[in-house]
Amino acid sequence: MADSRKRRHESSDRITSAAETKRATPGDSVASLKLLAAAFYGVSSFLIVVVNKSVLSGYRFPSSTCLSIGQMLATVVVLRIGKMLGVILFPDMSLSIPQKMFPLPLLYVGNQISGLFGTKRLNLPMFTVLRRFSIFLTMVFEGLLLKSTFSTSVKASVVTMILGAFIAASSDLAFDVEGYIFITLNNVLTAASGAYVKQKLDSKDLGKFGILYYNSLLMIFPTVVYAYYTGDLQRGLEYDGWSEQLFVVQFVLSCVMGFVLLYSIMLCTQYNSALTTSVVGCIKNIMVTYIGMIFGGDYIFTWTNFLGLNISIAGSLVYSYITFTQAQTKKA
């Protein structure tokens, strides 16, 4: 009798264990998707900064607006072809689309243009340090739009990142007022865009492909008009380097990478959050910062600047660790 009860108990334990394993599998799958989405965004974000820097600074392409138009056009073309082939789905154009999209298109084009101007005016390390401010602003917008709350430890790590950014910027011997203004504007627009994208994705009216497609489609014509009246379009078309094959390859690569970056941001925000997307951007910036010091060619070394960079980087790592452990605790 005792042996029979023992066998039934062992059998029950095996069934329970198997059930728990099955229940754990979806969670593991979701965790893997979150990690892959974050990694995809980090790699895409790193590559486009390097390519944009090469096109705008290395080849001295005179119009960041034209490059932005190219990235919008690449997004529209790729997604339209994907829909025609039946690979992806998103709603057809209707009078309700602009209302559903607002204010994302305006935030998107402003974010893209200000980011390109900032990349052109600042060296890579200072560009990435000043982008730390977007994390704080993302927290603010998530709190306002999505009613998110954050722990004291998370807030402290954000303060550390900003402190490091201030220290680094205080001794920037390549100080550029316009560059700093564009990056500040870029930070505000990035934070607002991230929070609104999460809000639109949660509503599921358009889906991620619809948001990407109509974001670009609605802003191509206004951006072309802006480029025409400012002379950017003419400067871009009259650029001498169009006959150079390597430049054309990098220009096209930048346009395609613009689409890839937008898609990776959408995935990371969908599977994680706008805040996690900002965190991943900071981790990526660690690589960009040190590579810019060694290979960028425009970094001016000072101990104060170097100290500030490392304080900001340390804050990024602590912030990432806290965010990850808090997420794991909530799952448990």
Side-chain angles (χ1 to χ4, degrees), residues 21-145:
T21 301
K22 288 181 180 179
R23 284 197 299 269
T25 301
D28 292 340
S29 177
V30 171
S32 298
L33 284 174
K34 289 185 175 184
L35 182 61
L36 288 173
F40 179 39
Y41 165 59
V43 172
S44 301
S45 183
F46 170 76
L47 290 176
I48 197 170
V49 168
V50 175
V51 175
N52 284 348
K53 186 68 175 176
S54 176
V55 171
L56 294 171
S57 296
Y59 285 96
R60 299 186 182 281
F61 184 67
S63 176
S64 56
T65 308
C66 285
L67 185 58
S68 179
I69 292 170
Q71 292 173 352
M72 293 179 202
L73 185 61
T75 301
V76 170
V77 170
V78 170
L79 291 176
R80 172 51 64 179
I81 292 174
K83 184 175 182 178
M84 290 172 61
L85 295 175
V87 178
I88 60 174
L89 296 172
F90 54 85
D92 293 326
M93 186 63 176
S94 67
L95 294 177
S96 64
I97 293 294
Q99 183 180 0
K100 291 179 180 178
M101 287 296 301
F102 185 83
L104 277 181
L106 297 177
L107 295 174
Y108 162 67
V109 71
N111 184 22
Q112 198 168 38
I113 292 175
S114 61
L116 289 170
F117 271 111
T119 303
K120 186 176 182 180
R121 300 299 300 237
L122 297 175
N123 59 61
L124 278 177
M126 287 313 304
F127 173 81
T128 55
V129 166
L130 292 174
R131 289 287 288 150
R132 297 289 192 278
F133 289 92
S134 66
I135 292 184
F136 169 74
L137 294 171
T138 300
M139 292 175 62
V140 172
F141 278 103
E142 279 205 340
L144 293 174
L145 294 176

Side-chain angles (χ1 to χ4, degrees), residues 43-283:
V43 172
S44 301
S45 183
F46 170 76
L47 290 176
I48 197 170
V49 168
V50 175
V51 175
N52 284 348
K53 186 68 175 176
S54 176
V55 171
L56 294 171
S57 296
Y59 285 96
R60 299 186 182 281
F61 184 67
S63 176
S64 56
T65 308
C66 285
L67 185 58
S68 179
I69 292 170
Q71 292 173 352
M72 293 179 202
L73 185 61
T75 301
V76 170
V77 170
V78 170
L79 291 176
R80 172 51 64 179
I81 292 174
K83 184 175 182 178
M84 290 172 61
L85 295 175
V87 178
I88 60 174
L89 296 172
F90 54 85
D92 293 326
M93 186 63 176
S94 67
L95 294 177
S96 64
I97 293 294
Q99 183 180 0
K100 291 179 180 178
M101 287 296 301
F102 185 83
L104 277 181
L106 297 177
L107 295 174
Y108 162 67
V109 71
N111 184 22
Q112 198 168 38
I113 292 175
S114 61
L116 289 170
F117 271 111
T119 303
K120 186 176 182 180
R121 300 299 300 237
L122 297 175
N123 59 61
L124 278 177
M126 287 313 304
F127 173 81
T128 55
V129 166
L130 292 174
R131 289 287 288 150
R132 297 289 192 278
F133 289 92
S134 66
I135 292 184
F136 169 74
L137 294 171
T138 300
M139 292 175 62
V140 172
F141 278 103
E142 279 205 340
L144 293 174
L145 294 176
L146 306 176
K147 309 303 179 185
S148 301
T149 57
F150 307 97
S151 66
T152 303
S153 55
V154 166
K155 293 176 182 177
S157 64
V158 170
V159 170
T160 302
M161 283 184 277
I162 295 176
L163 175 63
F166 268 119
I167 293 173
S170 68
S171 66
D172 182 12
L173 300 182
F175 180 81
D176 186 297
V177 175
E178 287 188 16
Y180 277 49
I181 291 173
F182 277 119
I183 291 304
T184 300
L185 178 61
N186 188 233
N187 287 336
V188 173
L189 295 174
T190 297
S193 180
Y196 273 109
V197 163
K198 184 64 174 176
Q199 187 183 62
K200 302 293 184 184
L201 285 170
D202 289 343
S203 69
K204 298 181 180 179
D205 287 335
L206 298 172
K208 56 180 176 288
F209 294 117
I211 293 173
L212 283 174
Y213 180 79
Y214 290 114
N215 239 345
S216 298
L217 183 65
L218 291 173
M219 291 312 299
I220 283 182
F221 181 71
T223 307
V224 170
V225 172
Y226 165 80
Y228 175 78
Y229 280 104
T230 59
D232 269 9
L233 187 61
Q234 185 177 359
R235 285 192 292 271
L237 294 175
E238 293 177 351
Y239 176 62
D240 296 333
W242 288 114
S243 59
E244 190 174 341
Q245 286 187 334
L246 188 57
F247 166 75
V248 173
V249 168
Q250 291 197 41
F251 184 90
V252 172
L253 180 61
S254 175
C255 293
V256 175
M257 281 304 302
F259 159 69
V260 174
L261 176 63
L262 290 173
Y263 180 58
S264 68
I265 291 173
M266 200 69 62
L267 282 180
C268 190
T269 304
Q270 181 181 21
Y271 288 113
N272 296 285
S273 67
L275 191 57
T276 300
T277 302
S278 296
V279 172
V280 173
C282 277
I283 295 174

Side-chain angles (χ1 to χ4, degrees), residues 312-329:
S312 188
I313 286 169
S316 301
L317 291 174
V318 172
Y319 179 77
S320 303
Y321 173 77
I322 293 170
T323 302
F324 175 76
T325 53
Q326 284 182 345
Q328 290 298 102
T329 301

